[in-house]
Amino acid sequence: MARDGALYTCQSCGAVQSRWAGQCAACLSWNTLVEEVSGPRPPGALTPSKSAKARAGLVFETLDVDTPTPPRLVTGIDEFDRVCGGGVVPASAILVGGDPGVGKSTLLLQVVAAASLRGLNCAYVSGEEAVEQIRARAQRMGLGHAPVKLAAETGLREIMEGLKRDRFDLVIIDSIQTMWSDQLEAGPGSVTQVRAAAGELVRFAKKRGVAVVLVGHVTKDGQIAGPRVVEHMVDAVLSFEGERGYPFRILRAAKNRFGATDEIGVFEMGEVGLREVKNPSALFLNEGGERAAGAAVFAGIEGSRPVLVEVQALVAPSAYGTPRRAVVGWDGGRLAMVLAVLEARCGLGFGDRDIYLNVAGGLRITEPAADLAAAAALISSVVGEALPQDCVVFGEISLAGDVRPVGRMEGRLREAAKLGFGRALAPTAAAGLGFPVFGVGRLADALQRIKDGDFAAG
Ligand code: TYD
Ligand code: MG
């Protein structure tokens, strides 16, 4: 029986229920409901306040007032600034999420170091590492001279006092899960604590005009641990990703009130921290040698930049009753669709074959324009004919088996030309853009061309 006024918060999704139960009704997680102990409500808080503003009621405003927007804070780490939408917005809060060990602390230490060297007043507050540890790492990365103000602290009260004593431009809190308020009974890392700490820091950011970056660890199911609530409180959510075994790290915006969410920032983790990768195409292409059968270079667009990336397919007889479909870096549903179209419209059978599809370099592509590249890689693997070394591929495939034009075809071809590619297998609409294009109107045309190795100029 629920006690009067007691509330139970799911530690996984943050949903609040008035009764305890073994399973959260919202996210269906088990044993995650915990009674939330909140401080006593100030008397009269539920009745309308008697302030002058409250007596005046709701005040409406017009749209046509020019509010000066303060300039963005450019940190100097271009890949980070671009994902933020062209620098960090003052008086905003950003959540940077990622797996433990992916490099969040390294990235943000480099960001504050660069920003402080550009004259911004920056603080880095760590709840995870000692000051000596952070200092040693910064020195090893050659950032020992950056005028960053460092602190190791987990107590929210001490942190807020410290932050209010100075006039910071940019503050990093690493990580939000380690911060806790002594005014709450809930343990550190609980939803209640994380929400309270994030709430206080976001309010501080808005009130004092400071840009605050909260670091958050991600759980194995890909959610920012515990508090999805934090995602709703901040202005931007960035995720820092990397495939195991690859040095590449990709920063993506999952939400951004001040910019596009399709920009990516590319970094390479090395001996001395993260290196910005200004031309990612070179990374995602297999260097040197003949291109093997089953590989196609996709001319993609990530945010504002064209990126060339190799798509690899392997089609092999299945040893088991149920053939395997394994996809890395692309959408499994999209693969199923392309396979169905290849079967229905081109007569290629995959029923008894295992299929592996991999996007090189650990990149994850989401554009429908990759359809034709995936199909070309699959066809090439099945017929055992390699695509020409200097050929890029792009185009969307419809269920009817048509190859449809995609956005920014000229930009894709320009990037291909820049990197030494000399031809493209692409929608017919891409012909006439000043680049040798083998236009295909239907997927069956692409199959025929790859099978016959028909890529002679003219
Ligand atoms: P870290 O920034 O601590 O990750 P997070 O804060 O996301 O948990 O990065 C830890 C990993 O990065 C660790 O496995 C070591 C590696 N690393 C390097 O390879 N080179 C470096 O210069 C640094 C600082 C870290
Ligand atoms: Mg860390």
Side-chain angles (χ1 to χ4, degrees):
M1 179 63 201
R3 285 193 287 115
D4 247 11
L7 290 175
Y8 300 85
T9 306
C10 171
Q11 300 297 296
S12 170
C13 72
V16 180
Q17 292 171 208
S18 59
R19 278 171 183 278
W20 189 87
Q23 187 181 26
C24 170
C27 71
L28 307 182
S29 305
W30 286 94
N31 300 321
T32 52
L33 288 182
V34 168
E35 183 177 347
E36 200 169 291
V37 192
S38 42
R41 207 185 281 284
L46 279 179
T47 54
S49 125
K50 300 285 187 300
S51 73
K53 197 172 167 192
R55 271 198 305 272
L58 190 59
V59 180
F60 289 98
E61 310 228 3
T62 59
L63 287 172
D64 62 348
V65 178
D66 281 330
T67 320
T69 46
R72 289 181 184 245
L73 309 173
V74 174
T75 68
I77 305 281
D78 295 345
E79 297 291 302
F80 178 81
D81 289 337
R82 188 155 30 75
V83 174
C84 291
V88 180
V89 175
S92 75
I94 299 174
L95 176 67
V96 175
D99 285 324
V102 72
K104 301 180 294 299
S105 302
T106 309
L107 172 69
L108 292 164
L109 188 58
Q110 288 182 244
V111 165
V112 273
S116 69
L117 286 169
R118 293 175 61 100
L120 299 179
N121 191 6
C122 301
Y124 183 97
V125 182
S126 177
E128 309 209 326
E129 291 169 287
V131 167
E132 295 72 36
Q133 237 175 320
I134 303 166
R135 191 184 290 132
R137 188 191 317 182
Q139 287 173 356
R140 200 165 53 71
M141 294 193 291
L143 301 173
H145 60 299
V148 176
K149 292 172 183 161
L150 277 186
E153 180 61 69
T154 55
L156 193 59
R157 187 202 297 262
E158 289 77 8
I159 292 171
M160 296 318 296
E161 277 172 16
L163 293 181
K164 284 172 185 167
R165 257 186 270 125
D166 207 330
R167 282 204 57 86
F168 287 109
D169 297 302
L170 177 62
V171 171
I172 312 287
I173 302 290
D174 186 4
S175 66
I176 189 66
Q177 279 109 340
T178 53
M179 301 299 149
W180 67 284
S181 160
D182 55 10
Q183 285 170 316
L184 296 171
E185 266 181 50
S190 62
V191 165
T192 312
Q193 284 286 5
V194 171
R195 182 166 43 195
E200 180 126 13
L201 286 158
V202 171
R203 271 194 304 280
F204 165 77
K206 306 279 163 187
K207 205 164 151 204
R208 302 274 181 138
V210 180
V212 173
V213 177
L214 309 175
V215 175
H217 293 297
V218 164
T219 51
K220 37 192 179 324
D221 53 5
Q223 308 201 336
I224 306 273
R228 298 229 64 179
V229 277
V230 177
E231 296 190 21
H232 304 297
M233 298 159 93
V234 295
D235 300 296
V237 178
L238 311 184
S239 69
F240 201 40
E241 307 164 355
E243 284 288 329
R244 196 178 289 277
Y246 289 103
F248 315 122
R249 301 285 181 268
I250 293 170
L251 186 68
R252 271 177 208 279
K255 155 181 170 178
N256 192 351
R257 285 191 186 139
F258 310 113
T261 52
D262 57 357
E263 283 293 350
I264 63 167
V266 184
F267 299 86
E268 187 176 359
M269 180 66 91
E271 288 288 304
V272 286
L274 292 157
R275 187 178 68 80
E276 291 183 71
V277 179
K278 309 265 180 188
N279 182 356
S281 291
L283 273 185
F284 303 118
L285 292 176
N286 241 344
E287 292 282 326
E290 280 288 291
R291 205 165 302 290
V297 175
F298 169 51
I301 300 277
E302 289 286 347
S304 58
R305 278 188 305 189
V307 175
L308 300 196
V309 54
E310 189 176 88
V311 179
Q312 303 156 352
L314 179 64
V315 180
S318 181
Y320 305 99
T322 318
R324 287 201 56 167
R325 301 280 184 264
V327 196
V328 178
W330 203 44
D331 177 29
R334 207 80 203 169
L335 171 65
M337 187 210 83
V338 168
L339 290 175
V341 176
L342 280 169
E343 295 209 31
R345 313 288 174 198
C346 306
L348 283 184
F350 295 100
D352 53 352
R353 317 276 195 99
D354 286 341
I355 293 170
Y356 303 89
L357 194 91
N358 178 44
V359 176
L363 192 68
R364 181 160 53 80
I365 44 185
T366 50
E367 274 190 287
D371 291 352
L372 188 60
L378 289 164
I379 293 170
S380 162
S381 176
V382 170
V383 304
E385 280 286 336
L387 285 151
Q389 183 77 8
D390 64 344
C391 183
V392 296
V393 187
F394 59 87
E396 183 177 346
I397 294 171
S398 76
L399 286 177
D402 297 319
V403 176
R404 312 239 305 254
V406 295
R408 303 186 44 195
M409 297 198 286
E410 228 174 325
R412 296 171 201 268
L413 296 174
R414 221 177 301 122
E415 176 79 357
K418 211 165 81 188
L419 287 165
F421 286 80
R423 39 195 153 174
L425 187 67
T428 38
L433 294 177
F435 190 86
V437 167
F438 294 92
V440 282
R442 299 198 41 87
L443 188 53
D445 304 342
L447 167 64
Q448 199 59 47
R449 213 173 260 284
I450 295 170
K451 211 175 182 175
D452 299 345
D454 177 15
F455 286 92

